[in-house]
Amino acid sequence: MSLDLRGQERLQRLQDDLGDTYFQEVPPQQGKDDGDRVSVTLDAAVRFTEVRIDDFAGVRTTSRSFAEAFEQAYAAADGLRAQRSAELSPRRRELEERVESLRRGTFRWRDPWERRRRGLDANGRPVNGSRLRPASASGSSENGYLSVSLPGGRFGAMKVRIDEVWLHSASVRNIEQAMREAIINAGEWAV
């Protein structure tokens, strides 16, 4: 599945800002939480293509269990997406060599500030419109009972908040819709 124009533009920004190692055009990847209660599918541009509740009783117990299930599913999908991207990365050989040097005990860490300095001018300001870290995003459902915070960095964690009373009274369809609305309202995180 290829990305639409917005997805291609977003993927290019991610590559420009964070490097292309973990951002290649790969098929959408689905992740599930540890209990197989929730599934999330992300495309190559880290946009949600599907959000689904597979075991409603399992996530309805508390707002924390609901949030943890979605957060785990997001992390699993993003991890698979990054893994598939790394397999296609132009730097794959370098990554394999790093892993091998770790195994041999000869790996040398790079200066942790090197990457950050590359995109800065002599005064420490971003050059050529580069951003060193994309902004995080937050969005809420139309009814305000569910909100998400999405990461701005390479592998940040998604955070979900949901009203406990509404969780116990809403249908699966309403909760899935609220999740989609919150993601859409977070900006360019949805297809």
Side-chain angles (χ1 to χ4, degrees):
M1 177 182 173
S2 63
L3 294 170
D4 60 11
L5 182 60
R6 284 181 49 223
Q8 291 171 3
E9 290 170 350
R10 179 173 163 78
L11 181 60
Q12 185 61 55
R13 281 193 312 276
L14 288 166
Q15 289 173 338
D16 292 346
D17 292 343
L18 300 169
D20 61 4
T21 302
Y22 301 106
F23 298 99
Q24 295 290 317
E25 189 159 346
V26 295
Q29 301 295 314
Q30 182 185 68
K32 291 186 169 223
D33 69 297
D34 293 340
D36 288 336
R37 300 166 295 180
V38 171
S39 63
V40 167
T41 304
L42 298 175
D43 71 5
V46 200
R47 298 179 306 169
F48 290 80
T49 60
E50 185 179 28
V51 172
R52 194 175 68 233
I53 299 172
D54 300 315
D55 177 7
F56 192 46
V59 294
R60 198 174 202 172
T61 54
T62 67
S63 61
R64 187 69 231 142
S65 68
F66 176 87
E68 286 173 354
F70 269 99
E71 291 163 5
Q72 286 176 5
Y74 170 84
D78 195 33
L80 286 171
R81 182 208 52 74
Q83 179 182 353
R84 300 294 179 266
S85 290
E87 291 167 359
L88 298 175
S89 173
R91 297 182 57 215
R92 181 178 183 180
R93 185 92 172 120
E94 177 187 342
L95 296 172
E96 289 170 351
E97 289 170 3
R98 277 192 202 171
V99 169
E100 186 56 34
S101 69
L102 279 168
R103 286 187 188 130
R104 287 190 315 263
T106 59
F107 180 76
R108 298 281 181 247
W109 289 102
R110 292 182 182 168
D111 176 359
W113 293 100
E114 174 196 359
R115 175 176 269 275
R116 291 186 179 181
R117 282 194 296 262
R118 281 188 283 165
L120 301 177
D121 65 16
N123 296 317
R125 290 186 300 257
V127 294
N128 299 329
S130 68
R131 297 178 316 213
L132 297 178
R133 186 176 169 96
S136 59
S138 297
S140 295
S141 60
E142 300 301 324
N143 63 15
Y145 292 130
L146 189 146
S147 64
V148 296
S149 295
L150 297 156
R154 181 175 289 173
F155 298 112
M158 176 177 89
K159 296 293 179 200
V160 177
R161 287 176 299 289
I162 187 168
D163 182 88
E164 187 98 28
V165 174
W166 184 72
L167 172 65
H168 291 289
S169 63
S171 68
V172 172
R173 184 171 175 229
N174 288 344
I175 294 172
E176 288 175 339
Q177 179 62 32
M179 228 14 221
R180 283 189 286 277
E181 289 171 0
I183 291 164
I184 289 167
N185 290 334
E188 57 183 34
W189 288 85
V191 173

